[in-house]
Amino acid sequence: GGGEAAAAVEVAAAEVGQHDAAEVGQYDARLVAFAARTRLLLSPPATRRASRRRERSRASLLALSFARCASNCSGRGSCVRVADSTGGAAYCLCAPGWAGDACDVRDPSPCNAPDGGRVLSRCAGHCDEDVNRCVCGEGSAFPRRPMRGCQYEGVEKERAWLTPAWGSFVRGPKAAFWSGGGGGQPGWCDAEPGRGPRPPRHCACYDGANGGSLCTPTRPFCVNQCGGAGRGECRDGYCVCARDLAGADCSVPSGGGEGGAAAAGVAAAAAAVAEAGSTAADSAPGGAAAGGRSSPRVYVYEVPPRYNSLLLARRLVHDACALRTYEGKGAQQDAPAWTSNLYGAEVALHEALLASPHRTHAPEEADYFFVPVYVGCFVSEFNRPYPTHWLCDGCHRKGGKADLASLRAHLSGRR
């Protein structure tokens, strides 16, 4: 009847009204988008570049959320996630002694050459093969006490040990190093610092130990000291980072795990960096970009540690390739003593760029790129060789540093 027809007309009218409203809404959205594009086209070039950077950052952050490190680096390294315009990637920075995509391949650095060659790292005690450091070993009162540059009489009868050494090694009977040093004197590995008689022989210390008090541990040198408390721990010259951080100085957000929450965490951290930089102009008077960001911007690559921090961890002399040491006593034990080693200049540049306001974590924002490879340190350490960083036994003539003529002859003979 008439009532049903009226109801049908009302329903049809409502549908027409909803359709019209949807059309108006779509028109309004298109109008807003058109207005935004128009404003962008009429805006200064710096603003347009910033908008493009923001769009690239959003795309790369989406890819970053899916980036994973193999086996979470097996708990033997830190995971670095990198977002760029082509997508996201993740890779492991392995701790000394480990290598491989998942830090699951042993990468030892022994102290002694198989044939007993005359390397400076030669060890008559126990070798920590992660960082080729000679220590007293188990059975000693101080098993981690350095035993660098010491050898007991008859060591060549117990292990491969060519004599004489080209370096100056402290020699003495075995009892001078392990208990019962004679005449009531304790051995080097058993003597208490500051108590009782001093041992008859003294071994050399590594960086991070005070030679004036039986190699009592002090602060070792690390890149930017790992950022300080809460970010990382400086251990034997390399940084052990907190769970959510990575990098040579623990300044790169990593997310700290393999789950989605971890990836979301690093994506959020990187997004904050990208968003902060995306509103900044490329440059402004005085060298500062709009929004307070410094210009130009520099992206610092995180390369495998063998190219930088591993060289610091395995060095045998405390001031080799380093800017500073920490060998003070008492209230001065944390005060740095600056070195004059020229090979520390490349480490200084690395530290400065990592801590610089010009640094960016977003590659697409960078004007310059820095690859931190310690070439000078790598070359100089051939004068303080260890088995994995050594050319030939005969290259060290007359107990001195590497002789270039002998080195050239050696290399020619290998061709």
Side-chain angles (χ1 to χ4, degrees):
E4 292 178 356
V9 170
E10 289 181 358
V11 170
E15 290 178 349
V16 170
Q18 290 173 359
H19 180 72
D20 290 344
E23 281 193 344
V24 170
Q26 292 173 3
Y27 174 79
D28 287 344
R30 291 195 296 270
L31 183 62
V32 169
F34 175 78
R37 287 196 298 271
T38 302
R39 284 196 301 272
L40 183 60
L41 289 173
L42 296 176
S43 62
T47 302
R48 296 199 297 272
R49 287 192 292 268
S51 177
R52 289 193 294 269
R53 283 197 301 268
R54 181 162 54 248
E55 292 303 318
R56 288 195 299 267
S57 295
R58 287 171 179 167
S60 60
L61 287 172
L62 179 61
L64 177 67
S65 64
F66 296 98
R68 299 286 189 275
C69 277
S71 302
N72 199 22
C73 305
S74 305
R76 304 186 186 102
S78 56
C79 180
V80 174
R81 292 180 171 91
V82 179
D84 56 32
S85 57
T86 61
Y91 57 93
C92 294
L93 296 179
C94 301
W98 297 95
D101 292 341
C103 300
D104 56 351
V105 178
R106 191 75 177 108
D107 180 33
S109 181
C111 299
N112 297 330
D115 63 350
R118 300 172 179 86
V119 289
L120 192 61
S121 61
R122 291 208 296 183
C123 181
H126 172 76
C127 181
D128 179 349
E129 293 196 345
D130 288 345
V131 287
N132 55 253
R133 292 194 172 188
C134 185
V135 296
C136 290
E138 296 299 326
S140 308
F142 298 92
R144 293 295 302 172
R145 178 171 290 169
M147 200 177 162
R148 180 169 75 88
C150 279
Q151 69 178 76
Y152 57 87
E153 296 169 357
V155 63
E156 67 278 1
K157 298 177 182 178
E158 299 181 4
R159 64 184 72 186
W161 191 282
L162 297 179
T163 56
W166 66 268
S168 299
F169 274 55
V170 174
R171 297 171 174 80
K174 203 169 187 177
F177 302 104
W178 289 280
S179 66
Q185 290 179 297
W188 164 258
C189 295
D190 302 310
E192 289 274 357
R195 295 177 57 185
R198 297 181 62 81
R201 299 292 188 275
H202 288 254
C203 302
C205 304
Y206 297 102
D207 176 43
N210 191 318
S213 55
L214 302 182
C215 294
T216 300
T218 60
R219 293 179 66 186
F221 171 81
C222 279
V223 176
N224 282 332
Q225 297 308 117
C226 309
R231 280 176 49 178
E233 175 192 353
C234 181
R235 187 182 301 169
D236 293 335
Y238 69 96
C239 291
V240 180
C241 299
R243 190 170 183 270
D244 58 343
L245 295 170
D249 67 344
C250 304
S251 60
V252 179
S254 73
E258 283 300 288
V266 70
V273 173
E275 188 65 24
S278 64
T279 58
D282 273 6
S283 61
R293 300 260 306 170
S294 296
S295 179
R297 300 175 193 169
V298 181
Y299 181 81
V300 181
Y301 281 95
E302 291 295 338
V303 300
R306 66 177 178 273
Y307 296 115
N308 47 49
S309 58
L310 191 56
L311 289 170
L312 298 177
R314 291 176 172 173
R315 60 201 169 96
L316 299 172
V317 181
H318 70 285
D319 64 346
C321 309
L323 300 171
R324 57 189 175 271
T325 60
Y326 298 89
E327 297 181 340
K329 298 179 180 179
Q332 297 298 316
Q333 64 180 352
D334 289 332
W338 298 96
T339 72
S340 58
N341 192 322
L342 182 60
Y343 294 111
E346 55 195 357
V347 184
L349 179 60
H350 189 196
E351 285 192 322
L353 291 177
L354 287 173
S356 172
H358 293 266
R359 182 189 182 189
T360 176
H361 289 280
E364 62 270 17
E365 293 184 357
D367 301 294
Y368 298 98
F369 296 83
F370 179 68
V371 182
V373 177
Y374 298 168
V375 177
C377 179
F378 178 84
V379 173
S380 70
E381 285 303 276
F382 283 113
N383 281 322
R384 292 172 285 266
Y386 44 92
T388 57
H389 199 92
W390 185 41
L391 293 173
C392 66
D393 192 56
C395 295
H396 299 271
R397 191 175 354 179
K398 298 180 181 178
K401 295 183 177 181
D403 179 78
L404 291 179
S406 300
L407 176 56
R408 291 191 189 100
H410 171 72
L411 294 176
S412 298
R414 290 173 61 180
R415 289 193 181 101

